[in-house]
Amino acid sequence: MVIVIDVVVLGLIVGLRTNSMDYYNYLLEYNTAQIVPPSLADFPGYNIIMRWSQYIGLDFTQFVLVMAFISFTLMITGMMIFSQYVPFAMALFIVYPFGHEAIQMRTFLADALVICALPLLLIDHKTRMKNILSKSIFFYPCIFFASRIHTLCWFYLAIAAIYLFLRRKKWYVPLIIIITIITMLLIRLNILTRLMMVISSSDKLDHWVQGSSGLGMIFYTFFNNGFIFVN
């Protein structure tokens, strides 16, 4: 019951927001979705979702409310597989990154899809065939579709692949730390950004990637890595 209340309350808080700079940017994007074909859109998957919403007659306020409920439902579904303390997890989510996700609906939906699909990646089955099937579903269509909603989900794809290859290695955590350092350097040297631009035509990708490798994010990344290593 507490989980249901969480979904309803948080869904209404996010879905009924009507004032922020990003809100008006999202409103403009929604109103022009029919003009921009998916093949030319920065986020083809999100463009298709907006087009479908307009087709069934949803205005922007209704669209945001529906997306909020869908995103929270997906996120909590993934959490429930691993924890009995979902309300506590959602309480932490309100601290961070709720303030960001509440405004960035596209990011929220993509993140929720990834979290919902995580059990497919992290839970091992008794048979090899079931493992191959679950991991394949995680990578495609789950993460691939999420990457069509938000470009940075390509990084989730890379991280998941690294996890599968290295998780049984003795030096798993040190290897992850080394890979993280190398990735940060490639971003700061503008090498990785150029490679990512080959994958996506979005002119926003450089801004997102560079922002994700700033000093603040470097501290946050190493804090998380250190926490994992200690535990």
Side-chain angles (χ1 to χ4, degrees), residues 1-13 68-70 72-74 76 90:
M1 179 57 70
V2 175
I3 293 175
V4 174
I5 294 174
D6 278 344
V7 173
V8 173
V9 173
L10 295 176
L12 290 174
I13 291 174
F69 278 109
I70 290 175
F72 275 115
T73 300
L74 289 171
I76 289 177
M90 293 310 299

Side-chain angles (χ1 to χ4, degrees), residues 89-184:
M90 293 310 299
L92 293 178
F93 176 75
I94 293 175
V95 176
Y96 180 84
F98 179 80
H100 174 74
E101 303 282 41
I103 299 173
Q104 301 285 351
M105 180 54 61
R106 179 171 51 245
T107 309
F108 188 19
L109 179 59
D111 287 345
L113 280 169
V114 173
I115 292 173
C116 184
L118 272 179
L120 295 170
L121 175 70
L122 300 180
I123 296 178
D124 287 325
H125 299 280
K126 294 181 179 180
T127 66
R128 183 181 180 86
M129 185 57 65
K130 286 184 178 180
N131 276 324
I132 293 175
L133 180 61
S134 65
K135 271 57 173 178
S136 298
I137 294 174
F138 173 81
F139 283 104
Y140 187 89
C142 293
I143 300 302
F144 179 78
F145 181 66
S147 70
R148 311 307 286 171
I149 296 174
H150 200 296
T151 313
L152 285 186
C153 285
W154 284 108
F155 283 100
Y156 295 145
L157 189 67
I159 292 169
I162 292 171
Y163 166 78
L164 284 180
F165 283 110
L166 299 182
R167 60 178 176 156
R168 301 191 189 280
K169 302 296 183 182
K170 182 178 179 180
W171 298 99
Y172 172 70
V173 173
L175 283 171
I176 291 298
I177 294 175
I178 292 172
I179 291 172
T180 300
I181 294 173
I182 293 174
T183 302
M184 292 291 187

